[in-house]
Amino acid sequence: MSKGKEIEGEEEREDMCGNDSEVRSKKRLLARDSGASICIYANSSSGGEPQDADYSVASLSDELEALILARVPRSEYWKFSFVSRRFLSLVKSGEVYKIRRAVGFKEASVFMLAIGEKSWWAFDRQFRCCRKLPILPSDFCFSTGDKESVCAGTHLIVSGKEIDGVVIWRFELASNKWFKGPFMVNPRCLFASATCGTSAFVAGGIGMESEERVLSSAEKYDPETKSWELLPMMHQRRKLCSGCYMDNKFYVIGGMDENGNGLTCGEAFDEQENTWKLIPEMLKDAPVTTSQSPPLVAVANNELYSLEASSNELKVYLKRSNSWKILGPAPVRADFNKGWGIAFKSLGDELLVMGASSVACAGRGMAVYTCCPHPQADELQWRALDCGTSQLSHFIWNCSVMVA
């Protein structure tokens, strides 16, 4: 890659850590705590005294040490293996991510797979740092077929079909490895999904276990137990639908029924009440049609936005009137392939869109834009991110955002 920082998939480096007597040189770890930079030095135990500006790791309690490490940007975690075995253990065990959640220090990362790529890519929120994930060890059928992806905590879940049937692969951020499973209670494809904190929801789709049929079932994934839990049935069977999480509810929007008819209704699952509420005519102006992608939807600041595939316009959902307001054009060609190949995602208080740029001179490479939308804004201010990935295809196969 010509620009940006590329960090290749990191292998285990325990053999490079050694014990204290083997660590001859000082290794610095930068952390940010309350806006200040903290420099920690791991000194050898060969008798040398710390210098005036040095702070020995041995003088810090394990608890304080872990709190500092939890505030280090995740893009720097691969360097921990060069510092000490304890630092490496905090990352590989996943303990550092639990501490991050406890202190409210979280970062968004974008995981994406472009057409023609063998490996997934992981980007930081500003697309300044990126790295390739280890190659997913699936068969050819899975690699070249349609897939769905969603993040839950520090797990990236990728669902697809291998020669032997539907399968799920999960990438665990802590260990930097792919694992197979766990299978859903009702294996499916072309389903809606959404991330809620450390959990993920899926609903609808086409069942693949015994016979292909449109489903109304829903499930929730727990990364702590690595298991799926069945939820109550939706009111409507639907495939090619989309999902999002808003107002503490899991929304399933649009899609097609078992007869191939486009659906304009939506549904919202309230986990506290354990019930689904049907929302008639939620997509009355833009039902899914044959060969079109599922609705392109994302949530920012608890507001629902939609990228219209036929017009490339961004819309915001007005909850009180159950209607949509046009906010203006988006800087990508969502109409290029009827919505397919476009990534439209929530990125905290921003919206993220990736795909073919609508600017004529942008070329064929992947274009990345973000904006901070507001329902009452007169004009959207899109910001182009120079991520140095012009060699990646503008057709995005899969994309998910992980917050950890």
Coordinates of all heavy atoms in Angstrom, one line a residue, residues 62-63 66-67 69-70 77 80 86-103 154 173-175 224:
D62 N 0.0 -4.1 39.5 CA -0.6 -4.8 38.3 C -1.9 -4.1 37.9 O -2.2 -3.9 36.7 CB -0.9 -6.2 38.6 CG 0.3 -7.1 38.7 OD1 1.4 -6.6 38.3 OD2 0.2 -8.2 39.2
E63 N -2.7 -3.6 38.8 CA -4.0 -3.0 38.5 C -3.7 -1.6 37.8 O -4.4 -1.4 36.8 CB -4.8 -2.7 39.8 CG -6.1 -2.0 39.6 CD -6.9 -1.8 40.9 OE1 -6.3 -2.1 42.0 OE2 -8.0 -1.3 40.8
A66 N -2.5 -2.3 34.3 CA -3.5 -2.7 33.3 C -4.4 -1.6 32.9 O -4.9 -1.5 31.8 CB -4.4 -3.8 34.0
L67 N -4.7 -0.7 33.9 CA -5.5 0.5 33.6 C -4.8 1.4 32.5 O -5.5 2.0 31.7 CB -5.8 1.3 34.8 CG -6.8 0.7 35.8 CD1 -6.9 1.5 37.1 CD2 -8.2 0.7 35.2
L69 N -2.6 0.4 30.3 CA -2.6 -0.4 29.0 C -3.9 -0.3 28.3 O -4.0 -0.3 27.1 CB -2.2 -1.8 29.2 CG -0.7 -2.0 29.7 CD1 -0.5 -3.5 29.9 CD2 0.3 -1.4 28.8
A70 N -5.0 -0.3 29.1 CA -6.3 -0.3 28.6 C -6.6 1.0 27.8 O -7.6 1.1 27.0 CB -7.4 -0.4 29.7
Y77 N -1.5 -2.4 20.0 CA -1.4 -3.6 20.9 C -0.5 -4.7 20.4 O 0.0 -5.5 21.1 CB -2.8 -4.2 21.0 CG -3.7 -3.5 22.1 CD1 -3.3 -2.3 22.6 CD2 -4.9 -4.1 22.6 CE1 -4.1 -1.7 23.6 CE2 -5.6 -3.5 23.5 CZ -5.3 -2.3 24.0 OH -6.0 -1.6 25.0
F80 N 2.8 -5.0 22.2 CA 2.9 -5.4 23.6 C 3.8 -6.7 23.8 O 4.4 -6.8 24.8 CB 1.5 -5.8 24.1 CG 0.7 -4.5 24.5 CD1 1.1 -3.3 24.2 CD2 -0.6 -4.7 25.1 CE1 0.4 -2.2 24.5 CE2 -1.3 -3.6 25.4 CZ -0.8 -2.3 25.1
R86 N 3.6 -10.4 30.5 CA 2.4 -10.0 31.1 C 1.5 -9.1 30.2 O 0.3 -9.2 30.1 CB 2.7 -9.2 32.4 CG 1.4 -8.5 33.0 CD 1.6 -8.1 34.4 NE 0.5 -7.2 34.8 CZ -0.8 -7.5 35.0 NH1 -1.1 -8.8 34.9 NH2 -1.7 -6.6 35.3
F87 N 2.2 -8.2 29.5 CA 1.5 -7.3 28.6 C 0.8 -8.1 27.5 O -0.3 -7.9 27.1 CB 2.4 -6.3 27.9 CG 2.9 -5.2 28.8 CD1 2.6 -5.2 30.2 CD2 3.7 -4.2 28.4 CE1 3.1 -4.2 31.1 CE2 4.1 -3.1 29.2 CZ 3.8 -3.2 30.5
L88 N 1.6 -9.1 27.0 CA 1.1 -10.0 25.9 C -0.1 -10.8 26.5 O -1.1 -11.0 25.8 CB 2.2 -10.9 25.4 CG 1.8 -12.0 24.4 CD1 1.3 -11.3 23.1 CD2 2.9 -12.9 24.1
S89 N 0.0 -11.3 27.7 CA -1.1 -12.1 28.3 C -2.4 -11.2 28.5 O -3.5 -11.8 28.3 CB -0.6 -12.6 29.6 OG -1.7 -13.3 30.3
L90 N -2.2 -10.0 28.9 CA -3.4 -9.1 29.0 C -4.2 -9.0 27.7 O -5.4 -8.9 27.7 CB -3.0 -7.7 29.5 CG -2.7 -7.6 31.0 CD1 -2.0 -6.3 31.3 CD2 -3.9 -7.8 31.9
V91 N -3.5 -8.9 26.6 CA -4.1 -8.8 25.3 C -4.7 -10.1 24.9 O -5.9 -10.2 24.5 CB -3.2 -8.3 24.3 CG1 -3.8 -8.2 22.9 CG2 -2.7 -6.9 24.6
K92 N -3.9 -11.2 24.9 CA -4.4 -12.5 24.4 C -5.5 -13.1 25.2 O -6.3 -13.8 24.6 CB -3.2 -13.4 24.3 CG -2.1 -13.0 23.2 CD -1.0 -14.1 23.1 CE -1.5 -15.4 22.7 NZ -0.5 -16.4 22.5
S93 N -5.5 -12.8 26.5 CA -6.6 -13.4 27.3 C -7.9 -12.6 27.1 O -8.9 -13.1 27.6 CB -6.2 -13.3 28.8 OG -6.0 -12.0 29.2
G94 N -7.8 -11.4 26.6 CA -9.0 -10.6 26.4 C -9.3 -9.7 27.7 O -10.2 -8.9 27.7
E95 N -8.4 -9.8 28.7 CA -8.7 -9.1 29.9 C -8.6 -7.6 29.7 O -9.4 -6.8 30.3 CB -7.6 -9.5 31.0 CG -7.8 -8.9 32.4 CD -9.1 -9.4 33.0 OE1 -9.6 -10.5 32.7 OE2 -9.7 -8.6 33.8
V96 N -7.7 -7.1 28.8 CA -7.6 -5.7 28.6 C -8.8 -5.1 28.0 O -9.2 -4.0 28.3 CB -6.4 -5.4 27.7 CG1 -6.6 -5.9 26.3 CG2 -6.0 -3.9 27.7
Y97 N -9.6 -5.9 27.2 CA -10.8 -5.4 26.6 C -11.9 -5.3 27.7 O -12.8 -4.4 27.6 CB -11.3 -6.3 25.5 CG -10.2 -6.4 24.4 CD1 -9.5 -7.5 24.1 CD2 -10.0 -5.3 23.6 CE1 -8.5 -7.6 23.1 CE2 -9.1 -5.3 22.6 CZ -8.3 -6.4 22.3 OH -7.4 -6.5 21.4
K98 N -11.9 -6.2 28.6 CA -12.9 -6.1 29.7 C -12.6 -4.8 30.6 O -13.6 -4.2 31.0 CB -12.8 -7.3 30.6 CG -13.2 -8.6 29.9 CD -13.1 -9.8 30.9 CE -13.5 -11.1 30.2 NZ -13.3 -12.3 31.1
I99 N -11.4 -4.5 30.8 CA -11.0 -3.3 31.5 C -11.4 -2.1 30.7 O -11.9 -1.1 31.3 CB -9.5 -3.3 31.8 CG1 -9.1 -4.5 32.7 CG2 -9.1 -2.0 32.5 CD1 -7.6 -4.7 32.9
R100 N -11.2 -2.1 29.4 CA -11.6 -1.0 28.6 C -13.1 -0.7 28.7 O -13.5 0.4 28.8 CB -11.2 -1.3 27.1 CG -9.7 -1.2 26.9 CD -9.4 -1.8 25.5 NE -9.9 -0.9 24.4 CZ -9.2 0.0 23.8 NH1 -8.0 0.4 24.3 NH2 -9.7 0.7 22.8
R101 N -13.9 -1.8 28.7 CA -15.4 -1.6 28.8 C -15.7 -1.0 30.2 O -16.6 -0.2 30.3 CB -16.1 -2.9 28.6 CG -16.1 -3.4 27.2 CD -17.1 -4.5 27.0 NE -16.9 -5.7 27.8 CZ -16.2 -6.7 27.4 NH1 -15.6 -6.7 26.2 NH2 -16.1 -7.8 28.2
A102 N -15.0 -1.5 31.2 CA -15.3 -1.1 32.6 C -15.0 0.4 32.8 O -15.7 1.1 33.5 CB -14.5 -1.9 33.6
V103 N -13.9 0.9 32.1 CA -13.6 2.3 32.3 C -14.2 3.2 31.2 O -13.9 4.4 31.2 CB -12.0 2.5 32.3 CG1 -11.4 1.7 33.5 CG2 -11.4 2.1 31.0
T154 N -15.7 -8.4 20.9 CA -14.5 -8.5 20.2 C -14.5 -9.6 19.2 O -13.4 -10.1 18.8 CB -13.3 -8.6 21.2 OG1 -13.5 -9.8 22.0 CG2 -13.1 -7.4 22.0
L173 N -10.6 -11.0 18.3 CA -9.6 -9.9 18.3 C -8.5 -10.2 19.2 O -7.3 -9.9 18.9 CB -10.3 -8.6 18.6 CG -9.5 -7.3 18.6 CD1 -9.0 -7.1 17.1 CD2 -10.3 -6.1 19.1
A174 N -8.8 -10.7 20.4 CA -7.8 -10.9 21.4 C -6.7 -11.9 21.0 O -5.5 -11.6 21.1 CB -8.4 -11.5 22.7
S175 N -7.1 -13.0 20.3 CA -6.1 -14.0 19.9 C -5.6 -13.8 18.5 O -4.7 -14.4 18.0 CB -6.7 -15.4 20.1 OG -7.8 -15.6 19.2
E224 N -19.4 -14.1 25.2 CA -18.9 -14.7 26.4 C -19.1 -16.2 26.5 O -18.2 -16.9 26.9 CB -19.5 -14.0 27.7 CG -19.1 -12.5 27.8 CD -17.7 -12.3 28.1 OE1 -17.1 -13.2 28.8 OE2 -17.1 -11.3 27.7

